[in-house]
């Protein structure tokens, strides 16, 4: 691994923790700017001098000093001035809270997911502050332009600042009105970890963070079905991690060595799914978890009950009718009813900006022995993905079809 990539991974991991800690004491915009300034300084010093013994502590100390300076210079709100007056480098202790919610990242997610904001802004802000994703990366996840996403982030942070939204877990009675956005943010964190936007295939630190947050949500809301369904979904997907790659090569679900699947995670995910269904009507996460459970039930790829998966996707589309759900449904139809039926569905979608659209289309064409068209679609997909493992997979497909 290159020095710059190693530094980027360390900075990405520590950024989330430092930002979550600072946001407990300073206005969100100030905390974010302070952390970014500390990172800029860290990258210069660490490249020249090497890593300090405790990179996270180093970043926290520098960022806190920047935040204190900014608060004093700008005199933002009397309440913040009182908090930082005479503050030393050591952070003030957090207020006592129930054990299940003594977690800075979870506090930060709940702060971002405030009902005063539109739900899209809630989730986007949580991804920016908790994940440190760029506006470009978040815009891609939301299927909007980068300027549109930037405007959402600016408006959301201004509204939090102007409304004096507290950095805290809401009262238990307020949790249901926030859980939808919180769950969406946690699941997008998981997705970014499972298939990273840039670099290699996955980021285990992000999937672990998302699962940990999911477990905290279950403990925080034991009688609610949605957190259990969300955690079930993540565990059932995470169970396949070890089988998803062979060295540097991506391995498709249909070709994975299923003996590498984590049976304990599968069992736990199924149990959580059953519990969520007993507690209430199935959420979109419960339906998605059910799809993953069908995959987990198949000892071999050819044993997969694709007709049941198609029916589950129809249920999911009735609840969340998004282009991406329709794309996944088309992929399932290709396995249950054949590639021609899937192409008819794909022709109706306007997802030319997504690499998964082109790779799904290419796979259907490949199975129909329409090699030139398949190669063209794989090449389109290649231009749209920035994940190294996916790029190598697509290049391999193109080479294989070019010699037939």
């Amino acid at each position: 691994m290159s020095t710059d990539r190693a530094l980027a991974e360390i900075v990405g991991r520590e950024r989330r923790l430092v930002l979550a800690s600072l946001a407990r004491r300073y206005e969100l915009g100030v905390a974010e700017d302070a952390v970014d300034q500390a990172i800029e300084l860290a990258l210069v010093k660490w490249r020249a001098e090497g890593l300090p013994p405790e990179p996270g502590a180093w970043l926290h100390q520098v960022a806190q000093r920047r935040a204190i300076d900014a608060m004093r210079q700008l005199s933002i709100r009397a309440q913040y001035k009182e908090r930082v007056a005479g503050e030393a480098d050591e952070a003030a202790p957090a207020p006592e809270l129930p054990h299940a919610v003594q977690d800075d990242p979870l506090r930060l997610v709940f702060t971002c997911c405030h009902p005063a904001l539109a739900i899209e802004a809630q989730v986007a802000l949580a991804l920016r502050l908790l994940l440190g994703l760029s506006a470009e990366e978040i815009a891609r996840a939301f299927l909007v332009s980068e300027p549109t996403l930037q405007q959402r982030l600016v408006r959301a942070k201004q509204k939090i600042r102007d409304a004096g939204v507290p950095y805290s877990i809401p009262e238990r009675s307020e949790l249901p009105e926030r859980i939808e956005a919180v769950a969406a943010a946690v699941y997008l964190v998981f997705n970014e970890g499972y298939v990273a936007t840039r670099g290699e295939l996955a980021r285990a630190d992000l999937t672990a963070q998302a699962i940990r947050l999911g477990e905290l949500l279950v403990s925080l809301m034991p009688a609610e079905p949605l957190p259990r369904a969300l955690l079930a979904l993540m565990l059932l997907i995470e169970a396949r991690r070890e089988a998803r790659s062979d060295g540097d090569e991506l391995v498709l679900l249909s070709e994975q060595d299923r003996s590498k699947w984590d049976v304990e995670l599968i069992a736990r995910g199924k149990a959580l799914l059953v519990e969520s269904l007993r507690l209430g009507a199935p959420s979109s996460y419960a339906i998605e978890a059910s799809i993953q459970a069908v995959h987990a039930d198949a000892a071999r790829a050819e044993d997969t009950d694709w007709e049941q998966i198609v029916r589950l996707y129809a249920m999911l589309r009735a609840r969340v009718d998004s282009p991406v759900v329709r794309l996944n449904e088309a992929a399932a139809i290709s396995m249950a009813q054949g590639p021609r039926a899937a192409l008819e569905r794909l022709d109706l979608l306007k997802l030319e900006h997504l690499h998964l659209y082109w790779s799904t289309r290419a796979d259907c064409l490949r199975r129909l022995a329409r090699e030139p068209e398949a190669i063209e679609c794989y090449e389109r997909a290649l231009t749209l993905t920035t994940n190294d493992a996916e790029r190598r997979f697509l290049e391999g497909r193109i080479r294989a079809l070019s010699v037939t």
Side-chain angles (χ1 to χ4, degrees), residues 17-278:
L17 299 175
V18 174
L19 179 57
S21 176
L22 289 185
R24 184 156 41 88
R25 296 181 298 281
Y26 308 108
E27 191 265 331
L28 280 173
V30 170
E32 186 180 14
D33 290 343
V35 173
D36 288 342
Q37 291 169 22
I39 286 173
E40 289 178 9
L41 178 59
L43 291 175
V44 173
K45 288 182 69 66
W46 295 354
R47 285 191 182 105
E49 303 172 9
L51 285 173
E54 297 184 20
W58 191 99
L59 279 175
H60 189 282
Q61 184 179 58
V62 174
Q64 181 164 283
R65 286 173 176 166
R66 295 293 189 276
I68 291 171
D69 289 344
M71 296 297 287
R72 286 173 175 161
Q73 291 169 8
L74 298 175
S75 297
I76 301 176
R77 291 181 175 273
Q79 59 179 324
Y80 292 117
K81 288 173 64 179
E82 292 174 2
R83 291 181 190 178
V84 301
E87 184 171 356
D89 288 337
E90 292 296 326
E96 290 299 320
L97 289 171
H99 176 71
V101 297
Q102 288 207 11
D103 182 84
D104 277 340
L106 186 59
R107 290 170 180 268
L108 186 55
V109 174
F110 269 102
T111 298
C112 296
C113 296
H114 192 280
L117 306 174
I119 190 166
E120 296 86 355
Q122 296 175 39
V123 178
L125 188 58
L127 290 175
R128 178 71 186 101
L129 297 182
L130 181 62
L131 258 180
L133 292 185
S134 69
E136 176 191 7
E137 291 164 336
I138 302 173
R140 187 181 295 115
F142 278 86
L143 308 181
V144 299
S145 68
E146 185 176 349
T148 298
L149 193 281
Q150 287 278 26
Q151 290 173 1
R152 286 183 187 175
L153 290 173
V154 170
R155 287 197 298 266
K157 285 189 281 190
Q158 286 177 341
K159 195 159 189 176
I160 281 182
R161 181 196 65 205
D162 295 343
V165 173
Y167 179 61
S168 63
I169 302 293
E171 295 296 327
R172 189 168 296 276
S173 62
E174 298 173 321
L175 292 179
E177 65 181 350
R178 299 199 192 192
I179 189 58
E180 182 181 349
V182 171
V186 170
Y187 189 41
L188 285 173
V189 171
F190 178 85
N191 284 336
E192 177 61 22
Y194 201 70
V195 181
T197 300
R198 298 186 181 277
E200 291 304 320
L201 178 61
R203 291 183 56 186
D205 62 318
L206 293 186
T207 54
Q209 169 85 318
I211 289 171
R212 188 181 65 81
L213 292 174
E215 290 171 341
L216 285 172
L217 288 174
V218 170
S219 66
L220 189 62
M221 306 178 70
E224 291 293 327
L226 192 150
R228 276 179 163 72
L230 170 65
L231 183 56
L233 172 59
M234 294 190 292
L235 292 178
L236 288 166
I237 296 173
E238 179 69 7
R240 302 197 295 265
R241 171 179 292 280
E242 293 301 319
R244 294 179 64 227
S245 61
D246 183 7
D248 292 335
E249 298 302 317
L250 174 66
V251 180
L252 295 181
L253 177 62
S254 61
E255 300 170 4
Q256 289 176 9
D257 178 356
R258 301 190 174 208
S259 68
K260 294 182 178 180
W261 288 6
D262 190 321
V263 294
E264 291 184 3
L265 287 184
I266 290 173
R268 188 173 173 222
K270 287 181 177 179
L272 283 163
L273 174 58
V274 170
E275 290 172 10
S276 76
L277 294 174
R278 286 174 178 167

Side-chain angles (χ1 to χ4, degrees), residues 290-304:
S290 298
I291 292 169
Q292 301 305 324
V294 174
H295 285 300
D297 285 340
R300 303 175 302 165
E302 53 267 34
D303 297 331
T304 305

